[in-house]
Amino acid sequence: MTKETAGMETRAWIWNGSIVPELTSLPLPELREHDVLVKIRAIGICATDLHIMKRSAIFAEPPYALGHEAAGEVIKVGGAVTRVRVGDRCTLDPSIGCGSCNACLSGDKHQCVRNREYGINQSGFWQEYVVIPENNLYILPESIGYDEASQCETIHVCLGGMDKVQLRGGERAIIIGDGPTGLFFARLCRLMGASHVTVAGSRKKRLELALAYGADEAFSIREKDALSVVEERSFDVVIEAVGKAETIQLAQKLVANKGRVLLFGLPEHKVEFDVMDLILREITCIGSANAPRVWPRVIELLASERISVAPMITDRFPYEQLDQAIACAFAGGQERIKVIVENNG
Ligand SMILES: [Zn+2]
Ligand SMILES: [Zn+2]
């Protein structure tokens, strides 16, 4: 049953160090006992992809295929695979641990010193086909489309952040940032019982969607100084989902005494923090990246329609035009939220 992919090739969009990917073909790796061959059906273009392409992320060296948000269809399974079958529709967890260290055995494979991630530091889901361990797949119910399911990875990082910050019913929360993660955070804060949810963002369409997702108020920090709209030190929970020095420092100003700041947006440079203020006001700062344990709950949230992705998808491209999808994401604009690449062939 092994080596069933030997000699097979896949089309792949490769990041070669510039901001324009190139379509080429790559040999597929061997299908080992616990591996699955997946045809990628939908890919989400993420701000992290753009960060990597602009060389503003420290962890990436070209060339390889980016892409860490995807859903697809099982095409072949290795001899020892038991959880999934040919034809299953799945979402893909891009994170791989060694499987035997303390971090991996505790369910924290993203903190394994040998952790690898598809599309971050090894070839990812901008390929037409990928070989991936079966334990990285989560089966989708029919009700969840591939396009929506490509966003399970995005929702998973947000849900993992919520688990870490432990928002309690009746607490006041503010999310700084109105990208897809900022909007998902707003939704999750509402679902988890925040008494008041504020979104401080920058673009009209996203701020409108924040209200539809359950925020009580949403305003643009491009147009208004945040402190003219909301009170300093008035939020039990502040979620920073931008990653700029100004917004991280704003998070510190907005958090209440003894409050928690979830640091989630990736900064491109080192950021100064007022440590004296942290100590005297007993503020807790929590970093959050991945969260391998939350995937089954992400599927539950989508299947139960507690969270919907569709309103966020503003642009769609076929696989053959992934380069145009990237150009579209780079172009940004008032109306654009999430760019999805689909392969229906
Ligand atoms: Zn992402
Ligand atoms: Zn490990």
Side-chain angles (χ1 to χ4, degrees):
M1 289 294 282
T2 54
K3 297 186 180 166
E4 275 198 35
T5 49
M8 280 181 69
E9 293 211 327
T10 176
R11 289 194 291 175
W13 283 96
I14 299 293
W15 170 57
N16 54 18
S18 82
I19 59 163
V20 182
E22 273 178 47
L23 184 60
T24 180
S25 57
L26 292 178
L28 278 172
E30 180 186 321
L31 191 76
R32 296 165 304 176
E33 287 278 283
H34 290 280
D35 286 343
V36 174
L37 177 68
V38 174
K39 178 162 188 171
I40 301 294
R41 292 296 191 181
I43 301 162
I45 305 299
C46 175
T48 303
D49 300 323
L50 308 185
H51 267 297
I52 293 173
M53 297 183 89
K54 285 190 298 181
R55 311 300 296 258
S56 54
I58 47 167
F59 38 70
E61 274 309 317
Y64 62 96
L66 304 184
H68 57 275
E69 302 177 358
E73 179 186 345
V74 174
I75 301 293
K76 285 179 193 280
V77 297
V81 167
T82 54
R83 283 182 59 241
V84 298
R85 288 180 297 194
V86 171
D88 278 347
R89 303 164 67 258
C90 295
T91 187
L92 287 75
D93 170 2
S95 178
I96 306 265
C98 74
S100 55
C101 72
N102 284 345
C104 285
L105 293 173
S106 311
D108 292 321
K109 65 179 174 178
H110 63 305
Q111 296 300 345
C112 169
V113 292
R114 282 181 278 170
N115 176 266
R116 307 286 298 162
E117 194 167 339
Y118 283 78
I120 302 292
N121 47 26
Q122 70 173 42
S123 262
F125 306 145
W126 288 4
Q127 304 181 81
E128 189 164 24
Y129 293 93
V130 293
V131 171
I132 188 163
E134 66 165 329
N135 286 344
N136 285 65
L137 300 182
Y138 293 91
I139 297 173
L140 299 168
E142 278 300 319
S143 62
I144 305 177
Y146 286 125
D147 52 351
E148 287 202 276
S150 74
Q151 291 313 293
C152 288
E153 201 279 335
T154 318
I155 299 169
H156 121 276
V157 285
C158 298
L159 189 57
M162 293 303 295
D163 281 3
K164 293 184 186 92
V165 81
Q166 295 187 359
L167 181 121
R168 292 170 294 201
E171 288 189 314
R172 292 170 57 83
I174 184 165
I175 296 100
I176 306 173
D178 59 7
T181 55
L183 297 173
F184 285 133
F185 273 125
R187 182 78 195 134
L188 289 167
C189 286
R190 166 59 73 212
L191 288 175
M192 289 174 184
S195 63
H196 194 89
V197 180
T198 303
V199 172
S202 60
R203 295 180 200 164
K204 190 163 169 280
K205 187 183 174 94
R206 296 173 180 212
L207 293 169
E208 284 168 8
L209 194 54
L211 298 175
Y213 270 45
D216 297 284
E217 61 180 341
F219 66 92
S220 166
I221 43 179
R222 275 195 192 152
E223 286 164 19
K224 287 178 190 154
D225 172 16
L227 296 178
S228 71
V229 181
V230 292
E231 230 175 286
E232 211 166 309
R233 304 184 180 186
S234 64
F235 295 94
D236 305 294
V237 168
V238 181
I239 298 173
E240 203 291 326
V242 176
K244 292 205 160 89
E246 313 86 85
T247 47
I248 292 170
Q249 286 153 359
L250 174 63
Q252 183 166 7
K253 284 190 185 134
L254 295 178
V255 70
N257 293 359
K258 292 197 76 81
R260 287 95 73 206
V261 178
L262 185 72
L263 294 170
F264 179 84
L266 300 177
E268 294 180 6
H269 307 286
K270 288 188 179 171
V271 176
E272 274 188 31
F273 236 69
D274 183 346
V275 176
M276 180 67 99
D277 179 68
L278 286 186
I279 295 169
L280 295 180
R281 300 208 292 122
E282 300 188 342
I283 295 163
T284 304
C285 289
I286 303 158
S288 189
N290 284 359
R293 280 177 265 208
V294 309
W295 284 84
R297 286 192 283 136
V298 172
I299 311 271
E300 283 291 322
L301 285 168
L302 282 176
S304 60
E305 298 180 16
R306 292 293 189 270
I307 287 186
S308 64
V309 173
M312 217 180 263
I313 301 175
T314 50
D315 301 87
R316 295 169 189 270
F317 291 85
Y319 182 73
E320 293 71 24
Q321 294 174 14
L322 187 140
D323 53 343
Q324 290 177 42
I326 298 300
C328 168
F330 268 120
Q334 284 292 327
E335 296 296 310
R336 188 149 295 129
I337 304 178
K338 193 75 197 182
V339 179
I340 298 283
V341 172
E342 294 173 299
N343 191 349
N344 300 317

